[in-house]
Amino acid sequence: MRRTFTSILLSAVMAAAASAAAASDAFPPAEPEDVGLSATALTQLTAEVERYVDRDMAVGAELLVIKDRQTVLHEAFGWRDREAEIPMQRDTLFNIRSMTKPITGAAAQVLIDEGRLSLDEPVSAYLPGFDTDAAREITVEQLLTHTSGLPLTTLETTSDYASLEAMANAIGEGGPEFEPGSKFWYSDAGADALGAVVEQASGQPLDTFVSERLLTPLGMDDTYYASDPADPRLDRVASLYVGRVGEWTRFWGPEAEPFYPFAWGSQTLYGTPADYARFLAMWLDDGRAGEVQVLSPEAVERTLTPMTMMGSLGSDAPYPTQFEDLSVYHGQMALMHVPDEPIVGRPPADASPEIVGYSGSDGTIAWAFPERDLIVLYFTQSRGGSTPIRLEAEVQRLLRDPSDEATLEIPVGYGEYLGSYAANFGPFVNEPFEIIWQDNELALDIPSQFIFPLERVADEDRWALRGAPGAEVTFVEDEAGIVTGLRIHQGGGTFELPKGEPEPAAEVRFEVEDVARYLGWFREEGSEREVEVVLADGALALRIPETPEPLALRPPDEDGAWRLRMNPAVEIVFTEEDGRVPSYVARGPAGEATFTRIEEPTAATGG
């Protein structure tokens, strides 16, 4: 039956009221001073998130701080849907992406507690696709710890498979990229296989088992697998944006088809910050939710025992963190910050995590501090932004290690360095780099990345970027000693940034005759992936299967490279021969691929 606008509005209001009441019951409001926190620190934390939205570093956000199980800060910022002018509200539903993984892991722990699953069991005992020479020895524990050797992902689109079981069997048939057990390698594929194992061991669909054994006992009524287009909670889901500072593209909205066709182990859950706080509180309470023992204390210990140092996605590089003197480790589908040890990659003996939490690639993150009974959650829907890791530095400064030390005056001469510098090189297009004074030292604030403290190199006029090995900064002065710019030295290259705000880029609009030679269909060499080059709103753009809207390209630079507006680190170089374009090369951080022109798309692409 068609739902009227009035019914939609009423259901949204009633659902929001119910959610707010539920959150209040679990974490009632309190004044910061009553639980030992500084109201000034929370005001500064709020101002930081407001700055992110004001500078278009995120489209919208929700921030929740809970101390001693009482809410001391809960604010919403910016837009839930900017095009529709719907403001962000508290208890908005977010696609929490990889924050689903610890919940899948907890579901596996329920089965281990009940003796229906064992850590040392081979996955092939549950999934025939793993019964191959390469994958047969992969164990349940290796899926939980991201040491199975399976790749980051095997998916090209969200509709590649008809069921989780089919997806997981195909993952097994594809086999590991590394010897199982040899090292940590973050793997969505492994988490999806774990979800399928939970289905087989429990005899229930993953979403049913998780809802009955975890979400309902925890009171997480606003966390669900959003594959039903008729679910009234869709009215509270934030539209998804992808891009970077000042370049956000609406990628998906709740009016569209469901983003996921069925429940996966790696992602697919939607939820609110308050609901996820209930999940984290369970870990702090040895597996209890009120009077209900959801997980055994032994399961909590298994999960939160640091196993391996966590690597970044698709890399062996350590996972980044802004928390000082801590390194990021992984347990059994859990992420922890642990005090640093001299032996890199080896968990400290009898280590106890100082912080427990997880993050999602659409811009959600949560931290729980067990010894302080403090939980901080920051959710955005701005995929590709850097604000979650940036906020980590503010949580460190304001909540983890607050200092009463008065801010020292800026040394004589340093004030001349402060201000904006216009970046226009590589992936940085008209981006304002800013030299700021923070924590009694100079720092370089790159909005699309992080804040890098500057350390003077001996007595020279060079400054090293802490956290970016090999990168240095020098300031440019005119004959009168006035700072007119800065130079960034990295990788053997030097980049000039004049002082001042970037000039607004002149809008370039193309007509069909200007770009006709580029338009048409191209197929990636070595795969069946097909992309259409189109003209959209005066811009050359790529229409790819994963996105409902074309991805606009910036006009070519002096080297003839076009760059994605939403991610200038990806460049497109067209090959031109006798007035026609037979192919193009796409280059990005993950490598490059060649696309060759085809006359028409295959039936699978659909034209």
Side-chain angles (χ1 to χ4, degrees):
M1 182 174 64
R2 180 179 176 85
R3 301 174 66 212
T4 65
F5 175 79
T6 302
S7 70
I8 291 173
L9 181 62
L10 286 174
S11 66
V13 171
M14 293 172 65
S19 173
S24 177
D25 289 343
F27 309 109
E31 295 298 322
E33 290 81 0
D34 293 342
V35 292
L37 290 182
S38 162
T40 301
L42 295 179
T43 298
Q44 292 181 33
L45 197 66
T46 301
E48 180 70 7
V49 178
E50 288 176 336
R51 187 173 74 94
Y52 297 158
V53 174
D54 290 344
R55 295 178 66 182
D56 205 20
M57 299 166 71
V59 176
E62 186 173 345
L63 177 66
L64 175 61
V65 179
I66 297 166
K67 179 72 170 72
D68 297 341
R69 310 306 163 89
Q70 298 176 85
T71 299
V72 292
L73 173 63
H74 194 183
E75 297 290 345
F77 311 82
W79 300 102
R80 192 174 81 197
D81 189 303
R82 185 154 61 185
E83 285 72 15
E85 298 186 351
I86 302 174
M88 187 67 74
Q89 298 173 334
R90 288 182 294 180
D91 300 306
T92 288
L93 285 156
F94 294 82
N95 185 344
I96 64 173
R97 293 276 189 173
S98 284
M99 294 175 80
T100 302
K101 289 183 175 73
I103 295 177
T104 303
Q109 297 292 347
V110 169
L111 294 168
I112 293 170
D113 278 344
E114 295 176 351
R116 293 196 277 170
L117 190 64
S118 298
L119 289 173
D120 57 0
E121 278 187 289
V123 178
S124 58
Y126 298 93
L127 300 170
F130 278 76
D131 193 15
T132 68
D133 290 342
R136 188 173 296 118
E137 300 306 317
I138 293 176
T139 66
V140 171
E141 183 173 19
Q142 288 169 347
L143 296 182
L144 281 162
T145 57
H146 288 287
T147 57
S148 66
L150 291 170
L152 174 60
T153 184
T154 61
L155 294 175
E156 290 193 359
T157 72
T158 58
S159 57
D160 283 353
Y161 300 98
S163 68
L164 181 59
E165 182 181 3
M167 180 195 297
N169 280 317
I171 289 168
E173 290 163 4
E177 292 183 338
F178 312 102
E179 181 184 351
S182 63
K183 68 175 183 177
F184 178 95
W185 190 260
Y186 192 84
S187 175
D188 281 357
D192 290 328
L194 180 66
V197 169
V198 169
E199 284 193 339
Q200 297 301 311
S202 67
Q204 292 181 288
L206 178 63
D207 52 353
T208 301
F209 185 77
V210 168
S211 296
E212 291 181 356
R213 302 303 302 274
L214 290 170
L215 304 183
T216 297
L218 290 169
M220 296 172 66
D221 299 328
D222 272 337
T223 301
Y224 75 115
Y225 297 91
S227 56
D228 180 3
D231 195 304
R233 286 174 289 192
L234 276 171
D235 298 325
R236 292 167 47 213
V237 171
S239 295
L240 174 57
Y241 293 81
V242 63
R244 63 193 300 275
V245 179
E247 296 278 1
W248 298 109
T249 299
R250 190 176 184 273
F251 184 75
W252 177 88
E255 79 287 348
E257 288 295 314
F259 198 78
Y260 305 103
F262 48 83
W264 302 354
S266 64
Q267 51 194 300
T268 65
L269 275 173
Y270 287 69
T272 65
D275 253 19
Y276 209 82
R278 291 173 180 260
F279 179 67
L280 292 178
M282 178 194 69
W283 297 114
L284 306 190
D285 292 336
D286 286 331
R288 297 187 67 83
E291 299 301 315
V292 179
Q293 190 76 49
V294 180
L295 287 180
S296 70
E298 293 76 17
V300 173
E301 183 177 1
R302 287 194 300 267
T303 301
L304 300 185
T305 297
M307 302 291 290
T308 54
M309 183 171 279
M310 182 161 174
S312 299
L313 272 66
S315 169
D316 290 321
Y319 195 80
T321 180
Q322 297 292 301
F323 289 117
E324 297 175 2
D325 305 320
L326 298 178
S327 293
V328 184
Y329 281 79
H330 203 278
Q332 292 186 12
M333 212 58 85
L335 184 152
M336 294 156 282
H337 289 73
V338 176
D340 284 334
E341 274 284 294
I343 303 175
V344 175
R346 181 178 301 174
D350 301 322
S352 178
E354 184 175 328
I355 306 171
V356 177
Y358 226 82
S359 62
S361 59
D362 282 348
T364 57
I365 196 166
W367 308 276
F369 300 77
E371 295 301 317
R372 303 175 185 221
D373 201 358
L374 172 68
I375 304 174
V376 182
L377 306 103
Y378 170 70
F379 282 19
T380 84
Q381 81 286 44
S382 304
R383 184 178 182 85
S386 62
T387 59
I389 192 72
R390 292 173 69 97
L391 191 66
E392 219 174 58
E394 297 305 305
V395 173
Q396 158 73 30
R397 182 174 68 88
L398 297 170
L399 299 180
R400 178 177 178 247
D401 189 22
S403 174
D404 296 329
E405 180 182 357
T407 301
L408 301 178
E409 293 185 4
I410 301 175
V412 175
Y414 281 27
E416 293 291 328
Y417 300 139
L418 304 184
S420 292
Y421 297 78
N424 240 323
F425 62 92
F428 306 108
V429 181
N430 288 334
E431 185 166 343
F433 284 23
E434 190 173 0
I435 297 294
I436 61 175
W437 184 254
Q438 178 175 282
D439 295 336
N440 298 319
E441 60 185 348
L442 287 177
L444 173 62
D445 183 353
I446 303 178
S448 60
Q449 296 185 6
F450 312 120
I451 297 176
F452 298 93
L454 299 180
E455 298 176 340
R456 196 154 199 164
V457 180
D459 294 327
E460 303 179 34
D461 292 329
R462 295 184 295 123
W463 304 77
L465 276 66
R466 191 187 310 151
E472 293 183 342
V473 162
T474 57
F475 292 94
V476 180
E477 299 181 2
D478 63 15
E479 294 180 356
I482 297 175
V483 176
T484 61
L486 64 80
R487 295 189 180 102
I488 295 180
H489 312 276
Q490 187 174 30
T494 298
F495 307 99
E496 303 274 351
L497 287 74
K499 192 171 186 182
E501 293 290 337
E503 293 289 335
E507 183 178 7
V508 178
R509 295 185 63 85
F510 294 105
E511 301 295 335
V512 172
E513 56 268 23
D514 299 325
V515 295
R517 62 191 182 279
Y518 302 114
L519 305 182
W521 285 91
F522 296 79
R523 180 181 295 133
E524 182 181 6
E525 292 184 359
S527 80
E528 298 302 314
R529 182 184 178 86
E530 294 173 356
V531 173
E532 186 181 13
V533 179
V534 299
L535 183 65
D537 295 327
L540 198 65
L542 305 180
R543 179 177 285 129
I544 63 177
E546 296 87 342
T547 60
E549 299 295 330
L551 304 180
L553 302 175
R554 294 182 181 275
D557 59 22
E558 61 273 12
D559 296 322
W562 304 68
R563 293 181 181 273
L564 283 182
R565 282 185 181 175
M566 72 175 194
N567 183 4
V570 177
E571 66 176 23
I572 306 295
V573 178
F574 292 96
T575 301
E576 301 195 35
E577 296 176 358
D578 300 325
R580 58 186 298 274
V581 175
S583 65
Y584 71 82
V585 175
R587 297 190 182 95
E592 68 175 50
T594 299
F595 290 76
T596 303
R597 182 180 291 278
I598 57 177
E599 292 303 318
E600 59 183 21
T602 64
T605 304

